[in-house]
Amino acid sequence: MALNGTNNLLFGAAHFHPTLSSFRRQTVNTEEQDISRIDQLASSAQSFQTMIPLISLCTSTSYPRLEQFLGKKPSISAITSSSCKGLAASASLCQLNDLFSQTSCSISKSNVQDETMNKSSRSYTESRRPSATNSHEKHPPIEILVRCIFLRVGEIDTLNERYTSEIFFEASWLIKDPKTELEYDTQADNFNPQLVVLNNMGDSLRHDKWYSINKTNANGLLEITEHHKFKGIFWERMELNHFPYDVQELSISLTTPLTINDIYFVENKQKPSGVNRTVFSDQQSWHLYEHVEFSFEQYREEYSLDYDQIHPVLICTCHVGRKCGYYIWNAYFLIFLITSSSLCTFAIPPSNSHGRLQITCTLLLTSVTFRWVVNKSLPTISYLTALDVYAIASIVALCIINVFHGVVSYLYYNQIYLATYLTPTNTSELQLSLYPEYSICRIDRYGFLILSFIFCLYQILILLWTFWKPYKRRRSMKRKDEKNRAEFMNKISNSEPPSGI
């Protein structure tokens, strides 16, 4: 630390307290050396005026702040030489001792001042820290009214589980601050919900945000509305249990670094949410419903230091239903034809087992290949869809028919072998030896009837399940659309003034 005439030596010593004792010893040694030099000058009958430069030199080098304390007394340079002629050398030394005693007193006073300054700084820093009582003070959470409008829904990629959309979102809350009537600035310590999108993919999100202020009639409160416009690619997990009769949810998930003790979300009933269905680029494959649903969840940051903090999550969802006509004609109908063709193999006599097995094995390989082609349009999932169940059931039916033909072929050739080596003793054995296909044809006929009945029953059950389970949700979505439309029309009719006004 560089020392000069304006720096405080004691202030520097307060910061370098480990070397304070060594510094004081050096100061005492320099004082003793200065006193000895002054005694030598006094003993050599020099005047007091010759000692003044030496005193000032010692003061400027050893005690930079000594001049400030000496300034409070009459200056040494103001004393005339005539007043010093009658003074003895001892008297001059006594004045010098008094001078150094005043200096040491001033140094001790400055040490006390530094200690008080350190105490005051510590008290200031402690006062700046949040106290325990303030940290445990609980404030009621702020209610955030939310509204969401899907302005445009773009391409829905089932294979990669994502969709493109442009979304308008509003978050409103009430404040009582007359200073924010013109402009709401979040940089001026004003409240900000700090909303963050969770399910956007990569850097594709384009986010615009602005504020608006509306006056309310309730106690002079102001309604602050934060407007957002999101545009990008959003990830969405596809639920494909009922594929191709599935109804998918297209949602946007929003959260905030604030906890549930700070804010909570509520759907805005005064401003309805909805979906713009006029601009829908994928309408050839999907049917877009017009209502929007809100769900409120909570999540905990598992890898943060504050594990006990729970954050609110808002999920805004619109729904789309897949148009299944393409898959009905190009998947279900073709699988039905392949499976039903296997029943025609019963027209071949049991003696021609080679022809039966060749046809059924060819149909089996065709059905397996067709299934792999259909699955290329679906993501890799660990469960079976409705189309998978139907296709696998058809493959199982082909395998059963193939095994049945093999068993019938084995029984036929076994009867021929027995008829060759048996000597007929009665009429039945004679008939068996002459017509070995008689009993085999009867078994084959019963097998054809049973398998045909099971196949037709399975097709009827598939149709009933389709109308009962997957289409049940579609009917529910349609009712919600009608309800949402009726509520919207009621709000419009209630907001219109009477015709007489």
Side-chain angles (χ1 to χ4, degrees):
M1 181 176 181
L3 299 177
N4 51 29
T6 59
N7 289 333
N8 188 354
L9 180 62
L10 298 178
F11 183 76
H15 287 279
F16 296 90
H17 57 83
T19 58
L20 183 60
S21 58
S22 61
F23 177 78
R24 289 178 178 176
R25 287 195 298 268
Q26 293 177 2
T27 305
V28 173
N29 293 332
T30 53
E31 289 178 359
E32 292 177 356
Q33 292 177 3
D34 294 338
I35 293 173
S36 62
R37 293 174 64 184
I38 292 172
D39 291 338
Q40 292 176 1
L41 292 175
S43 61
S44 61
Q46 293 181 356
S47 63
F48 187 76
Q49 293 180 355
T50 59
M51 290 186 280
I52 291 176
L54 182 60
I55 296 172
S56 62
L57 180 62
C58 296
T59 304
S60 62
T61 56
S62 302
Y63 306 100
R65 293 198 60 185
L66 188 59
E67 297 177 356
Q68 298 178 4
F69 296 104
L70 293 176
K72 298 178 182 180
K73 301 294 182 180
S75 177
I76 298 176
S77 60
I79 301 176
T80 58
S81 59
S82 59
S83 61
C84 295
K85 289 180 181 180
L87 295 175
S90 59
S92 63
L93 293 177
C94 290
Q95 291 180 357
L96 290 175
N97 291 331
D98 294 336
L99 179 62
F100 285 114
S101 64
Q102 292 177 1
T103 305
S104 61
C105 293
S106 62
I107 293 173
S108 63
K109 290 181 180 179
S110 62
N111 287 325
V112 173
Q113 290 177 358
D114 289 336
E115 291 178 359
T116 56
M117 182 178 65
N118 293 331
K119 290 181 181 179
S120 62
S121 63
R122 286 195 299 269
S123 62
Y124 175 75
T125 54
E126 291 177 357
S127 64
R128 295 287 291 177
R129 296 175 183 173
S131 60
T133 57
N134 294 331
S135 61
H136 293 289
E137 290 181 357
K138 293 183 178 180
H139 301 282
I142 300 175
E143 181 184 67
I144 306 296
L145 300 177
V146 294
R147 177 195 182 195
C148 183
I149 298 177
F150 287 81
L151 299 176
R152 185 180 65 86
V153 179
E155 181 183 0
I156 302 173
D157 191 354
T158 306
L159 183 61
N160 297 316
E161 296 186 306
R162 60 186 182 182
Y163 73 99
T164 305
S165 181
E166 183 177 355
I167 302 170
F168 177 74
F169 181 83
E170 288 184 354
S172 304
W173 62 92
L174 298 176
I175 65 170
K176 188 176 182 180
D177 190 0
K179 298 180 181 179
T180 60
E181 292 184 359
L182 299 178
E183 184 179 359
Y184 191 79
D185 187 9
T186 56
Q187 302 295 332
D189 296 334
N190 291 326
F191 174 75
N192 182 11
Q194 306 176 23
L195 298 176
V196 180
V197 181
L198 290 178
N199 61 332
N200 65 297
M201 298 187 65
D203 299 331
S204 62
L205 183 66
R206 295 176 57 185
H207 182 197
D208 298 329
K209 182 173 68 173
W210 65 96
Y211 294 88
S212 64
I213 302 175
N214 298 322
K215 294 183 179 180
T216 61
N217 297 327
N219 299 324
L221 297 177
L222 297 178
E223 182 184 17
I224 307 299
T225 304
E226 186 178 77
H227 307 272
H228 297 266
K229 191 175 182 180
F230 304 105
K231 183 179 181 181
I233 301 174
F234 303 93
W235 175 82
E236 181 63 41
R237 185 180 64 181
M238 300 293 177
E239 298 292 342
L240 300 172
N241 298 87
H242 299 157
F243 175 85
Y245 314 106
D246 54 327
V247 176
Q248 297 297 334
E249 297 180 351
L250 305 181
S251 61
I252 178 172
S253 301
L254 300 171
T255 187
T256 173
L258 304 177
T259 63
I260 57 175
N261 298 325
D262 300 324
I263 64 172
Y264 66 96
F265 297 107
V266 177
E267 181 182 357
N268 194 343
K269 298 294 185 180
Q270 302 298 326
K271 298 179 180 180
S273 303
V275 180
N276 182 18
R277 299 197 299 176
T278 58
V279 184
F280 182 37
S281 60
D282 211 2
Q283 59 183 349
Q284 293 291 338
S285 302
W286 299 87
H287 175 75
L288 182 61
Y289 297 96
E290 62 184 23
H291 70 278
V292 176
E293 294 181 353
F294 294 90
S295 59
F296 309 97
E297 299 179 358
Q298 298 175 358
Y299 85 99
R300 188 190 307 269
E301 294 184 2
E302 297 183 357
Y303 299 100
S304 68
L305 298 177
D306 299 330
Y307 181 74
D308 296 334
Q309 292 185 356
I310 301 176
H311 304 274
V313 177
L314 171 66
I315 301 176
C316 309
T317 307
C318 71
H319 299 83
V320 289
R322 192 187 304 271
K323 294 182 178 180
C324 54
Y326 173 83
Y327 296 96
I328 287 176
W329 294 108
N330 294 278
Y332 276 93
F333 185 67
L334 295 180
I335 293 173
F336 171 78
L337 292 179
I338 292 172
T339 309
S340 60
S341 298
S342 63
L343 297 175
C344 299
T345 57
F346 287 93
I348 302 174
S351 59
N352 190 6
S353 60
H354 177 74
R356 282 188 171 191
L357 293 175
Q358 185 178 7
I359 294 173
T360 53
C361 288
T362 303
L363 293 175
L364 178 62
L365 294 176
T366 304
S367 181
V368 171
T369 306
F370 183 76
R371 166 172 161 73
W372 284 109
V373 172
V374 172
N375 284 343
K376 287 184 179 180
S377 60
L378 296 177
T380 304
I381 52 180
S382 60
Y383 52 87
L384 296 177
T385 64
L387 182 58
D388 292 336
V389 172
Y390 185 77
I392 292 175
S394 300
I395 294 173
V396 171
L398 290 173
C399 291
I400 292 174
I401 293 173
N402 200 10
V403 171
F404 179 80
H405 291 329
V407 172
V408 169
S409 177
Y410 173 78
L411 293 177
Y412 173 74
Y413 286 103
N414 190 25
Q415 291 293 340
I416 293 177
Y417 176 79
L418 294 176
T420 304
Y421 290 95
L422 285 176
T423 302
T425 58
N426 52 25
T427 306
S428 60
E429 292 179 356
L430 179 62
Q431 186 179 5
L432 179 62
S433 62
L434 295 176
Y435 305 102
E437 296 182 357
Y438 180 75
S439 61
I440 301 302
C441 289
R442 187 167 48 187
I443 295 174
D444 188 66
R445 187 183 304 113
Y446 291 153
F448 171 73
L449 294 176
I450 293 173
L451 291 175
S452 299
F453 175 76
I454 293 174
F455 179 75
C456 294
L457 180 63
Y458 176 72
Q459 303 301 324
I460 294 173
L461 292 177
I462 286 293
L463 290 175
L464 294 177
W465 178 84
T466 300
F467 286 102
W468 174 257
K469 193 68 176 178
Y471 273 86
K472 181 179 179 180
R473 191 177 184 189
R474 290 175 178 257
R475 292 191 294 269
S476 176
M477 294 293 108
K478 187 176 180 180
R479 288 193 297 267
K480 289 182 179 179
D481 275 358
E482 294 175 354
K483 181 180 178 182
N484 184 68
R485 194 180 301 112
E487 292 178 354
F488 182 72
M489 296 302 295
N490 290 333
K491 289 180 181 179
I492 292 177
S493 60
N494 292 332
S495 60
E496 290 181 355
S499 58
I501 298 179

